[in-house]
């Protein structure tokens, strides 16, 4: 869709842009934050009108509730310069929807879609010079919402902050990763917060991941919390397999994050001649696929890398290897198709692109 209304939030411009200090040919993911940020407060039971201000520290109380009790959620999406040099934000409405699901689960106030869309539009338009133009590069957009009230008692905050930061990101090529099937630790259990993009899910995942690294792996392949028999996700990405020429991915549960890259790939697969199946996938099925040679691809999906190829999966100490995906692999072809749609080289039949003409 092409945006029609321009947001009219107040903008306090920085006195000194930092853009000249940044080498756009050497962008470490998440390292450089652009000149401005959008800030809105939830007070008096209402989201107030956002402001755009210079990026910088915010004063906070050490008693701020989110630090103590973890009410903190976020999103991650991307903006591009498309082939016509317009700005394209990829599926912001879907991110708005997911943010609200996370907020509801964490008992935090929802952000009306209109307010979210206007906010994302406003900050991206303000920071348009920060959108890298080299191939595969983008402006990463990071909305966060967190409890701000200072109080030691366990209570629902009555003050929340909504902030959007943006960060220029270079083309992200993920080298093939070595996975370990995790059967001791759990990322999320059904009924928990796995489907919410909340900070605590990440906090609890560092330690198991650290142990996997010490054992020589890159990431853990999370299994279900009850039986450790079925696959949930990989690290902080969704996981997909090609088995018998079919695209297979775990069916969503309350323990799995509903990835927007996952959803996009599932929708694009049929156009690439691929049948899709969402179902419970057991470790046994994966092992059998390796043994019979029917499992030909495994990859993680997420906004940062789009697809991240899997080099090997370690199941109970046995290492199963995959060859590096070539240009004819499904994962490479679908990544290309997704990029073509965002950049305007292929029609956007699903209406995923939010276009700002500037
Ligand atoms: C954000 C996230 C993903 C990927 O979601 P996208 O919308 O595709 O970026 C997958 N798993 C977890 C745990 C995540 O936090």
């Amino acid at each position: 869709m092409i945006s029609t209304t321009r947001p009219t939030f107040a903008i306090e411009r920085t006195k000194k842009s930092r853009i000249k200090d940044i080498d756009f040919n050497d962008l470490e993911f998440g390292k450089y934050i652009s000149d401005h940020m959008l800030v809105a407060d939830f007070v008096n039971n209402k989201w107030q009108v956002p402001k755009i201000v210079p990026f910088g520290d915010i004063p906070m109380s050490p008693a701020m509730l989110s630090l103590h009790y973890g009410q903190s959620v976020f999103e991650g999406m991307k903006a591009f310069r498309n082939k016509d040099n317009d700005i394209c934000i990829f599926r912001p409405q879907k991110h708005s929807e997911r943010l609200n699901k996370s907020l509801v689960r964490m008992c935090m106030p929802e952000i009306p879609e209109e307010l979210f869309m206007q906010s994302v539009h406003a900050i991206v338009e303000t920071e348009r010079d920060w959108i890298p133009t080299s191939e595969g590069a983008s402006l990463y957009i990071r909305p966060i919402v967190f409890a701000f009230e200072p109080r030691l008692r366990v209570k629902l905050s009555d003050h929340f902050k909504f902030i959007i930061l943006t960060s220029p990101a270079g083309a992200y090529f993920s080298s093939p990763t070595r996975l370990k099937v995790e059967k001791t630790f759990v990322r999320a259990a059904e009924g928990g917060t796995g489907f919410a993009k909340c900070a605590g899910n990440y906090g609890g995942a560092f330690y198991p991941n650290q142990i996997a690294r010490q054992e020589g792996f890159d990431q853990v392949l999370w299994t279900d919390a009850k039986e450790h028999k079925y696959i949930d996700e990989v690290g902080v990405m969704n996981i997909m397999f090609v088995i018998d020429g079919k695209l297979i991915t775990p069916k969503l549960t309350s323990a799995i994050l509903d990835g927007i890259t996952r959803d996009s790939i599932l929708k694009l697969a049929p156009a690439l001649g691929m049948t899709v199946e969402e179902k419970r996938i057991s470790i046994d099925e994966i092992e059998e696929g390796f043994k019979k040679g029917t499992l030909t691809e495994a990859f993680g999906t997420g906004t940062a890398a789009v697809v991240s190829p899997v080099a090997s999966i370690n199941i109970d100490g046995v290492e199963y290897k995959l060859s590096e995906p070539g240009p004819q692999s499904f994962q490479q072809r679908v990544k290309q198709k997704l990029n073509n749609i965002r950049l305007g080289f292929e029609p956007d039949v699903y209406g995923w692109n939010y276009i700002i003409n500037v």
Side-chain angles (χ1 to χ4, degrees):
M1 72 181 271
I2 294 176
S3 68
T4 44
T5 48
R6 283 242 130 74
T8 52
F9 306 143
I11 304 178
E12 181 197 328
R13 296 217 171 252
T14 181
K15 296 202 171 56
K16 195 177 179 309
S17 171
R18 286 173 284 107
I19 199 163
K20 296 275 182 306
D21 306 336
I22 286 157
D23 178 1
F24 274 71
N25 295 312
D26 182 23
L27 295 168
E28 184 192 320
F29 186 79
K31 181 169 176 182
Y32 304 105
I33 297 174
S34 66
D35 281 331
H36 301 89
M37 60 184 179
L38 178 133
V39 183
D41 288 274
F42 181 89
V43 287
N44 302 325
N45 262 318
K46 200 175 179 314
W47 282 108
Q48 308 296 315
V49 178
K51 282 194 192 88
I52 290 174
V53 296
F55 168 72
D57 296 348
I58 52 171
M60 64 158 216
S61 164
M64 179 173 80
L65 278 164
S66 53
L67 290 179
H68 298 255
Y69 306 123
Q71 272 185 313
S72 179
V73 307
F74 66 96
E75 272 302 323
M77 71 188 121
K78 283 178 170 175
F80 305 83
R81 279 283 182 187
N82 70 16
K83 74 172 196 340
D84 303 320
N85 205 34
D86 289 327
I87 298 169
C88 168
I89 307 174
F90 190 65
R91 304 194 74 179
Q93 290 97 336
K94 186 90 178 151
H95 285 275
S96 163
E97 210 178 280
R98 184 171 72 188
L99 178 64
N100 282 334
K101 282 183 189 158
S102 302
L103 289 169
V104 168
R105 178 61 182 83
M106 300 304 289
C107 216
M108 297 163 72
E110 288 178 72
I111 297 176
E113 182 182 286
E114 178 73 13
L115 175 63
F116 181 86
M117 294 297 294
Q118 295 268 300
S119 299
V120 172
H121 180 143
I123 189 66
V124 171
E125 192 171 329
T126 306
E127 301 302 68
R128 58 184 176 262
D129 294 342
W130 287 80
I131 306 172
T133 50
S134 58
E135 200 184 327
S138 62
L139 186 69
Y140 183 75
I141 306 165
R142 166 56 61 85
I144 53 167
V145 187
F146 54 99
F148 198 68
E149 184 189 349
R151 201 60 56 102
L152 294 185
R153 178 163 69 85
V154 179
K155 80 172 280 271
L156 279 179
S157 182
D158 54 24
H159 184 178
F160 292 88
K161 266 197 195 292
F162 167 40
I163 296 181
I164 307 180
L165 306 177
T166 70
S167 171
Y172 192 107
F173 294 107
S174 173
S175 52
T177 51
R178 290 157 303 164
L179 310 184
K180 168 197 167 187
V181 172
E182 181 61 66
K183 292 190 173 177
T184 305
F185 298 104
V186 168
R187 187 191 84 90
E190 288 217 45
T193 58
F195 71 94
K197 213 168 172 74
C198 62
N201 290 343
Y202 281 68
F206 282 115
Y207 183 69
N209 204 54
Q210 180 74 3
I211 290 180
R213 279 180 183 273
Q214 284 163 2
E215 294 170 351
F217 304 105
D218 301 307
Q219 294 281 350
V220 297
L221 189 54
W222 300 108
T223 54
D224 72 287
K226 220 185 219 164
E227 301 177 83
H228 291 301
K229 259 175 75 175
Y230 300 96
I231 290 170
D232 277 352
E233 293 199 55
V234 55
V236 294
M237 289 184 286
N238 295 110
I239 181 92
M240 295 192 178
F241 301 93
V242 176
I243 303 179
D244 269 333
K246 212 191 264 178
L247 182 65
I248 299 177
T249 194
K251 186 161 75 95
L252 295 176
T253 69
S254 58
I256 298 177
L257 201 283
D258 182 0
I260 289 161
T261 316
R262 173 189 182 278
D263 182 75
S264 306
I265 290 175
L266 294 182
K267 290 202 163 79
L268 294 178
L272 293 169
M274 190 65 104
T275 322
V276 171
E277 203 176 337
E278 295 176 70
K279 60 168 197 173
R280 283 222 292 189
I281 305 171
S282 67
I283 305 292
D284 290 348
E285 183 173 349
I286 297 304
E287 193 158 26
E288 192 187 305
F290 275 119
K291 283 182 176 156
K292 286 187 175 165
T294 51
L295 193 163
T296 50
E297 293 185 45
F299 53 97
T301 72
T303 293
V306 184
V307 300
S308 168
V310 172
S312 63
I313 301 182
N314 190 292
I315 307 175
D316 298 326
V318 183
E319 188 93 347
Y320 296 97
K321 290 195 169 66
L322 281 160
S323 50
E324 209 158 321
Q328 282 316 309
S329 63
F330 172 75
Q331 55 188 290
Q332 294 281 318
R333 288 188 299 135
V334 81
K335 178 176 183 172
Q336 187 64 50
K337 192 168 179 70
L338 197 57
N339 283 336
N340 286 347
I341 291 169
R342 303 199 278 210
L343 299 181
F345 294 111
E346 279 192 47
D348 174 24
V349 294
Y350 289 102
W352 286 339
N353 298 332
Y354 179 89
I355 306 287
I356 306 175
N357 303 112
V358 277

